[in-house]
Amino acid sequence: MTLTAAARPLDARSAATRTARTGAAVGASLVAALLSAPTVSPAHADTAGTYDMCPEVYYYVVPEGSPGLGAVADLILGDPERADEIHELNAGRSQADGTALGEDRALQAGWRLVVPFDSGGEGVYEGRDPLCVVAVDQANAQGIAPPSPHPAPPAYTPPPEAEESAEQGEVVDVTPQDDKPKIDPRLLAAGAAALVLLTLLTLFWQPIGRAIAWPFRRIAALPWRRPRKPRSARIAAATRRRRAATERVTADPDAVHRAGGAHSDLLSAPADVPARPVAILTTRVETTAIVPVGATPPATSWRVVDTTTWRYSRGSASSGPHNFAASTHTMVRPVAHGVLACLGTLEDGETLVHVDLTRTRGLLAVGGDRAVAADAVRVIADALHARGLSIRVLKEGQPLHSLVPSAPPDLSAPDPVHGLEPSREHPLVVVVPRPLGTADEHVLGAIPANTLVVGTGESVHARWQWRAHEDGTLDTGALGLDVILRLPERRR
């Protein structure tokens, strides 16, 4: 028997080529089979088989010197790993010489191996299963029924999209959706966090920068980072600062009159809530008043700087000393002469500080450095004496109750800022040059209503608790002023 078929080109693997059958090739195969078939006697006509039972397949004729099944798969299918498909289609199928493809996958020349429908290239033919044709011929020659043929390999049916795109010459992505790369959610979260952080930095970079730099500035400002000067050098530097403050006070004798005029102007001016000055700050061209919170500024030339600071302005830009006597307004109550004590200057060295002690009663204590605190008590005592107040100085070894008679505690005593209402009677001033001790506590807790005690040290009964520093500055506590203390006047 002789079979004729044309070789299938390697690139002709479309669905149309796989399903189309050439009529001439099929006809030629059938004619050749009929011509070569032996004559069947009438006795065997019932058992004779035909080739119609053999399925249409693609088969490969193994040439001489074939390298192996993997090489054949690479040659006709383009993938050596598809050798398993060829082995599965041909394992155990008897060839014309009686041998069959085994587990060793060894090939012999002349074998006809059934191959998948997407095979092509040299040695690949299309036609009826050659092993089935051989089996039919042998059965006809023996006058027996031919065996059932092996099922044909499943036809390859490409996806419609891929087939249509291939016909149109387009490139189609046939990658499954599950195999496509996905974005990691953690990467998305990190990107969102970075975007939020950059937005915050763009909007609030100034406060964020200050917050980051704050601890470093605090560390840089620590005193242990700077070498501490010897005590003698520190005292000498403080003395120079205090001497400069004293010279500034002496060089402007009219400052006391300007401060007193400003004090009287504020007390006598009509207002909803009368202003009670706590301190008056003066320079050669400017006067500023420190007042309690809630006071109403008078309808004169006082300008509000903030809630506790008023500044006097004459309404013109010209500089020069102020003349408060020139201001005119309706008098609503008697003018109270203030008791002002010039303590020294501010850190700028130009602004003089006059503290109002008009309504101060009780204990004014100055703690901290003993030498500077003692000088502060002397400066206050000298200022009160210059204003005409009676001064009593506690002698060394004398108990405090000898000068301050015992009295029941005044539970309605005012706070240290507002003080008492001014009266015509001046208070009795008791100066305590020594540090306050525990034996004085029972007296300090019951000071008479019209008595002012000025002493060094600290006490829980103090209405004003100030603190002196080694560098010659005086912290006035509730007043909120840091004053370079002037030197006390020399005793004659």
Side-chain angles (χ1 to χ4, degrees), residues 43-88:
H44 299 93
D46 296 336
T47 60
T50 62
Y51 300 131
D52 294 338
M53 61 182 300
C54 297
E56 291 285 340
V57 297
Y58 287 100
Y59 60 91
Y60 173 73
V61 180
V62 180
E64 292 288 344
S66 177
L69 196 58
V72 172
D74 187 21
L75 177 65
I76 65 177
L77 295 172
D79 187 1
E81 295 183 358
R82 298 186 65 182
D84 294 338
E85 299 180 26
I86 303 176
H87 181 270
E88 182 179 355

Side-chain angles (χ1 to χ4, degrees), residues 357 360-366 377 380-381 384 389-394 400-401 403-405 427-436 440 443-457 459 461-466:
L357 302 176
T360 305
R361 301 293 185 272
L363 173 63
L364 193 161
V366 183
V377 171
I380 296 173
L384 296 178
L389 274 67
S390 300
I391 306 296
R392 294 184 181 181
V393 181
L394 190 67
L400 183 60
H401 64 80
L403 296 182
V404 180
L428 172 65
V429 180
V430 177
V431 178
V432 184
R434 61 172 175 79
L436 298 172
D440 304 325
V443 180
L444 297 175
I447 298 176
N450 199 34
T451 303
L452 173 60
V453 178
V454 182
T456 60
S459 174
H461 301 288
R463 298 292 173 82
W464 276 4
Q465 179 66 64
W466 295 355

